Structure formats: structure tokens, C-alpha cells
């Protein structure tokens, strides 16, 4: 992340990957850590390892404007985390998927949305003051695309298994 490019408006990306998060942090704890930026981001996702119920050490956050990134970067990048006496140092990088709508599209048909609410990505809508503070419901999955993707994956695996059995006969 180049704060010079972002600060000048040359780089208008809005989605960051937050790295080196202590594994005991939950999404709520992360939101508390980011309280100075409350209302400035409209998407947050902290992936969870379902086998041990801990986060995997990184998160994705999308800001409502690229102009909020320099202050967030200055506050968190290269700094230690406030809880659990962790030795981890926060690192920020631009995420591969950029923008709230692209993130929603990416996760909309995901199995994650059938998991417990605390394990799902969070999306925020704007309140009356224009700040992203209202938690929104996830849009309904695109059931046709979801069904077709599952059928294709299943068809491929069964096809391989059937071909392998034929070779063995």
C-alpha cells in the first residue's frame, strides 16, 4: 500500500487485506480494534478455521472511500495488536478482490453464508448520516449459478471415479 499514491488520489483501491491478526481475535474484537474507523468501512471478513474455531490470521476490509486508507494505514500498519500480548505486527496490503459489490458477488454463493453468523463476512449499509454503520442482510444466493457450479464439480468428480473404475475392470 502506497500512502503517497492513495493520498494523492492516484490509487483509488478501497479493499485491504489485514495480515498477522492474532488467532484469538473474533470479528467483533476486530471491529472494536478498528473503532476509530467505524462507519468508514462497509465490508469486513475474518476467515475462521472451523476445525479449531480460531481465525486464520488475516481479514479483508473494504472502505467506503479510498480517502480513508491513509489514516487507517498510519494507525495500524507496522503496529502491534492491543489484546492477548501478541508479538504479531499488523501488515496491510491491497486485496485481490476490490470493492464492496465485487466482494459480495464473490461470497454470495459461498457455503460460508450457511455457517454461524459470527463466521460470515459482514456487510454494512449507510445510516442517515452517510456512515456505514447499519449491518445489512446478505443478498439471496444466485441459486441457479450455485446449483450449476455444484453439478459441474460433482459431475467432474464422478466422471473421474467412473473412468478410474473402468480402467481397473
Amino acid at each position: 500500500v502506497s500512502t503517497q499514491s492513495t493520498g494523492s488520489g492516484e490509487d483509488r483501491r478501497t479493499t485491504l487485506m489485514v495480515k498477522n491478526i492474532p488467532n484469538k481475535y473474533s470479528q467483533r474484537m476486530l471491529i472494536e480494534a478498528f473503532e476509530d474507523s467505524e462507519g468508514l468501512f462497509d465490508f469486513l471478513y475474518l476467515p475462521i478455521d472451523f476445525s479449531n474455531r480460531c481465525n486464520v490470521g488475516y481479514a479483508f476490509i473494504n472502505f467506503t472511500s479510498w480517502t480513508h486508507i491513509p489514516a487507517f494505514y498510519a494507525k495500524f500498519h507496522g503496529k502491534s495488536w492491543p489484546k492477548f500480548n501478541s508479538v504479531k505486527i499488523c501488515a496491510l496490503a491491497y486485496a485481490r478482490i476490490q470493492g464492496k459489490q465485487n466482494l459480495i458477488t464473490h461470497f454470495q454463493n459461498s457455503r460460508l453464508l450457511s455457517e454461524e453468523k459470527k463466521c460470515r463476512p459482514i456487510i454494512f449499509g449507510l445510516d442517515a448520516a452517510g456512515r456505514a454503520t447499519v449491518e445489512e442482510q446478505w443478498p439471496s444466493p444466485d441459486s441457479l449459478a450455485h446449483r450449476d457450479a455444484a453439478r459441474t464439480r460433482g459431475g467432474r468428480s464422478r466422471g473421474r471415479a467412473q473412468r478410474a473404475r473402468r480402467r481397473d475392470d
Side-chain angles (χ1 to χ4, degrees), residues 2-168:
S2 166
T3 53
Q4 186 176 1
S5 296
T6 305
S8 69
E10 197 176 314
D11 192 338
R12 294 176 176 240
R13 289 180 280 184
T14 58
T15 310
L16 297 177
M17 180 178 194
V18 181
K19 302 177 188 179
N20 302 326
I21 299 169
N23 299 95
K24 292 180 181 176
Y25 268 65
S26 66
Q27 274 191 331
R28 289 292 158 208
M29 292 167 115
L30 204 54
I31 288 171
E32 288 171 14
F34 298 159
E35 70 183 341
D36 289 349
S37 298
E38 183 183 11
L40 304 180
F41 57 91
D42 54 17
F43 181 95
L44 181 69
Y45 176 47
L46 178 66
I48 300 296
D49 177 347
F50 294 109
S51 63
N52 65 18
R53 307 299 288 169
C54 292
N55 79 63
V56 296
Y58 60 88
F60 299 97
I61 185 170
N62 184 72
F63 289 90
T64 57
S65 170
W66 55 272
T67 59
H68 304 308
I69 290 179
F72 186 84
Y73 186 89
K75 178 161 178 132
F76 290 98
H77 186 74
K79 308 291 190 317
S80 58
W81 293 93
K83 293 188 181 200
F84 305 119
N85 286 333
S86 177
V87 296
K88 291 187 175 185
I89 303 298
C90 179
L92 300 173
Y94 284 115
R96 182 179 56 87
I97 300 170
Q98 287 291 314
K100 178 182 179 182
Q101 191 53 55
N102 289 333
L103 290 160
I104 290 171
T105 300
H106 178 77
F107 288 106
Q108 187 173 2
N109 294 314
S110 171
R111 288 186 333 207
L112 284 171
L113 299 182
S114 62
E115 295 293 337
E116 291 178 62
K117 189 173 181 178
K118 66 183 179 181
C119 299
R120 298 180 206 158
I122 302 172
I123 52 178
F124 297 96
L126 301 179
D127 62 17
R131 295 174 50 87
T133 59
V134 181
E135 193 169 334
E136 291 182 339
Q137 290 290 102
W138 271 87
S140 299
D142 177 357
S143 56
L144 183 61
H146 188 65
R147 186 190 73 217
D148 289 346
R151 186 182 315 146
T152 303
R153 282 192 305 270
R156 263 192 245 137
S157 341
R158 269 182 282 173
R160 286 187 193 123
Q162 288 170 348
R163 284 191 299 277
R165 275 195 299 268
R166 275 189 235 131
R167 279 190 298 249
D168 292 341

